[in-house]
Every structure is written in C-alpha cells, then in structure tokens.
Amino acid sequence: MASPLAPERVRVLSMTWEADGVLSLVLVDPAGGALPLWTPGAHVNLDLAPGLRRTYSLCGDPADERRWQVAVLRETAGRGGSEYVHARLRPGDLLTVGGLRNNFELRPAAEYLFIAGGIGIAPLLPMIAASQAAGTSWRLLYGGRRRASMAFLGTLSSYGPAGAEPDAQVRVLPQDEVGLLPVAEAVAELGSDALVYCCGPEPLLAVAEKCCADAGRELHVERFAARPAAEPGGQDSAFDVVCQRSGVTVSVATGQTVLEALEDAGLPVVSACQEGVCGTCETAVLEGDVDHRDSLLTPAEQAAGDTMFICVSRSRSQRLVIDL
C-alpha cells in the first residue's frame, strides 16, 4: 500500500560504504520534518534523474521518523540507476519520492527463517530487528560471492558472533569459502508455525521456492528483477480497458502494455520498474479475466483476480474494467 503522506522530495544526508560496491544512503525531509512511518519490508520509489525512477528497500529503523536508509549495489550492467547513485549522487542532493509501499510485509509467526543473497539482506534487516525486539525465534542464512561484498556485517554482529556453524543464529556463508547456502537443511529444521522470508538473486529464490514447496512450507519472497518468463496464460491480443472512475475506455493493442495504453490516453498512472516487480502500478480490477504476468502475486492472489500490475499483465477477456 502506498503512503499518501510521503514528502515530494528527500535530501541525501549521507552516503556510506557498507561493502565493496554497496553504498547506503540516509535520506531526510529537506524541511527537517518527520518522514512517514513504515513497516519492515517497505520500499520507496526514488526519481534519481529524468527517466530514472528506481525502487529501493528501506533498511534502517522503522521507528526513526527523521531518517530513511536504503542500500544500493553498483551494477555496471544494469539499467543505469545504481551507476547514477554511485557515480553522480552526492550528499545534499535532492531526490523526488515516487511512493512508499510494502508488498513484503512481515507476518506474525512463532519462528522465522530469513534467507538473504547479496543486497537481498537490505529488506530483511528491519525484519530481523523487529523479531529480536519481540523476542521471536529467528535465524538468518546470509550468502554472497565473497565476504568483502556482503553488506551490513557490522550491523549483524550486534546479534552475536556470526559464523558458518549450523547452530549459529546468524550464518554468514560467502560462496568462495563454503559454497551455496544450505537452504534445504535449514527449512527442514523449522517448526510447523515458522515462516520463511527470502530476498536475493533469482537462483537463490528458485531454490527457496522449491525447498519450501517440497516441505509444504509458506514462503515470502521479494525480487529485484522479474522471474524468468513463463509461457503466457493468455493470448497477446488486443482488448479494451474500461477505466470506471475516469469514464474512459482505452484499447490495448497487441504488443502494448496496459500501462502504455493508459499513458497514451493521458490518464494518471504511476509506475517504476515496468517489470511487474515493485508493485507501484497495482490497480484494482472490477471486472474481467486477468492474464497475470507479474512476479509479486501468489497463485491464490492471482486466482482472486481483483488486482493486477498494469505494466506487464494483460487480459484474457475482451473487456477489462479497472478502478481508475
């Protein structure tokens, strides 16, 4: 859910190296006011420059009303956002805020297993802190290509010694030292009321999904990129979208997204990733059969058919009615 209270802009207060290739940014209200409260798992859209809107997980303290913190991994082969942050952004710069949302909420449980790969540790940090404060049992598997590239090891050390031992609460497991994360073993040790939260690269998410499915275990994931494309559930043919509140009907052509068609019609829509990952363009569906192509909704949520991400999903029916 997006927050209507987010300021239009934030100022970069400071930038800190958290690991090789990872910068954390502390963001504040330029007027010195309080920022909207958020919950673990939330992320914010930042307009870095014209045409560079990117989504970042908040990884600081949700109780701190004066500061937001995000972490940015430099990806030289990316779409330009991280390169801009690392090469051009400086303390004092102003950034436009495009929205505050949480599609990765920490649900109540008797026990948690957190699994992080690389920069995927960022959204899990507030979850770990909340679990620790509540006295809830938790464990962390944290992997990366090498120790020097793994961010926030200092923060994690506040929970006690981190090691590779199976009984450690925080298991720091660099791939060049110990190989791949033992996800199946960790999942098998969980109690019946445990939840698993995982964030990281797609190969890790795929392993976690398989291990949890095999164990009949509930899993919550956050992706930084769309999952590998599956065969679409419907045809990529033209259809009509009825915008009920606007009283406008828009035709969506073959090869065109709903988002693009609505933008061409001059309707007020917002987006960020345009990959079905960040959730910014979530739109309520009032009527029609959605062909879901996002990487966010669970199978049950997709079956309900009452919401869609218009940047990627289409319609199986000739007519789709949305709340816009």
Side-chain angles (χ1 to χ4, degrees):
M1 177 182 293
S3 169
L5 303 176
E8 292 184 0
R9 295 196 296 180
V10 290
R11 179 170 60 85
V12 180
L13 179 66
S14 63
M15 304 175 70
T16 304
W17 288 108
E18 302 292 349
D20 289 351
V22 179
L23 274 174
S24 68
L25 315 179
V26 173
L27 309 172
V28 298
D29 186 329
L35 296 170
L37 294 176
W38 54 279
T39 54
H43 59 247
V44 64
N45 294 331
L46 298 176
D47 291 338
L48 305 171
L52 276 182
R53 172 173 287 184
R54 296 294 182 263
T55 302
Y56 298 107
S57 297
L58 292 170
C59 57
D61 180 3
D64 188 344
E65 297 182 3
R66 299 289 172 176
R67 301 182 179 193
W68 286 344
Q69 183 183 18
V70 301
V72 183
L73 169 68
R74 189 170 200 167
E75 298 180 276
T76 55
R79 296 182 297 141
S82 69
E83 187 66 21
Y84 182 93
V85 169
H86 280 253
R88 301 185 60 181
L89 198 65
R90 294 294 180 266
D93 287 352
L94 294 175
L95 301 174
T96 300
V97 178
L100 177 65
R101 308 181 66 87
N102 195 340
N103 299 310
F104 192 44
E105 293 188 27
L106 184 65
R107 300 182 182 179
E111 178 186 3
Y112 296 105
L113 172 63
F114 299 110
I115 306 171
I119 197 62
I121 189 63
L124 300 184
L125 289 176
M127 296 185 180
I128 291 169
S131 302
Q132 181 75 7
T136 306
S137 177
W138 62 271
R139 297 181 66 197
L140 169 67
L141 290 183
Y142 180 19
R145 292 184 178 179
R146 53 193 180 88
R147 190 176 297 270
S149 68
M150 297 172 68
F152 299 108
L153 293 181
T155 299
L156 293 170
S157 68
S158 66
Y159 300 110
E165 298 78 13
D167 59 346
Q169 184 175 29
V170 176
R171 299 186 67 187
V172 175
L173 303 167
Q175 187 174 349
D176 65 347
E177 297 179 17
V178 296
L180 301 177
L181 293 180
V183 176
E185 293 87 337
V187 169
E189 294 171 356
L190 293 173
S192 59
D193 296 328
L195 291 180
V196 183
Y197 280 78
C198 182
C199 186
E202 186 60 36
L204 174 61
L205 299 182
V207 169
E209 288 175 335
K210 183 180 187 307
C211 291
C212 287
D214 290 346
R217 175 76 57 190
E218 185 175 349
L219 171 68
H220 301 271
V221 303
E222 180 160 80
R223 286 177 159 84
F224 294 136
R227 61 161 59 96
E231 192 68 27
Q235 297 298 317
D236 191 16
S237 54
F239 57 96
D240 292 331
V241 173
V242 179
C243 305
Q244 187 175 70
R245 284 189 286 117
S246 302
V248 175
T249 298
V250 175
S251 294
V252 181
T254 300
Q256 183 184 38
T257 67
V258 175
L259 176 66
E260 290 169 342
L262 296 177
E263 288 178 332
D264 289 347
L267 291 166
V269 291
V270 293
S271 66
C273 72
Q274 299 188 16
E275 295 180 343
V277 173
C278 73
T280 301
C281 68
E282 184 173 8
T283 304
V285 176
L286 306 176
E287 182 183 331
D289 186 7
V290 181
D291 177 12
H292 294 285
R293 302 184 183 186
D294 63 272
S295 300
L296 279 164
L297 297 177
T298 66
E301 290 169 335
Q302 291 186 348
D306 56 4
T307 191
M308 69 182 295
F309 298 96
I310 58 175
C311 65
V312 291
S313 296
R314 297 182 64 79
S315 179
R316 294 188 181 93
S317 52
Q318 182 56 44
R319 182 175 179 267
L320 196 67
V321 182
I322 62 176
D323 185 20
L324 184 70

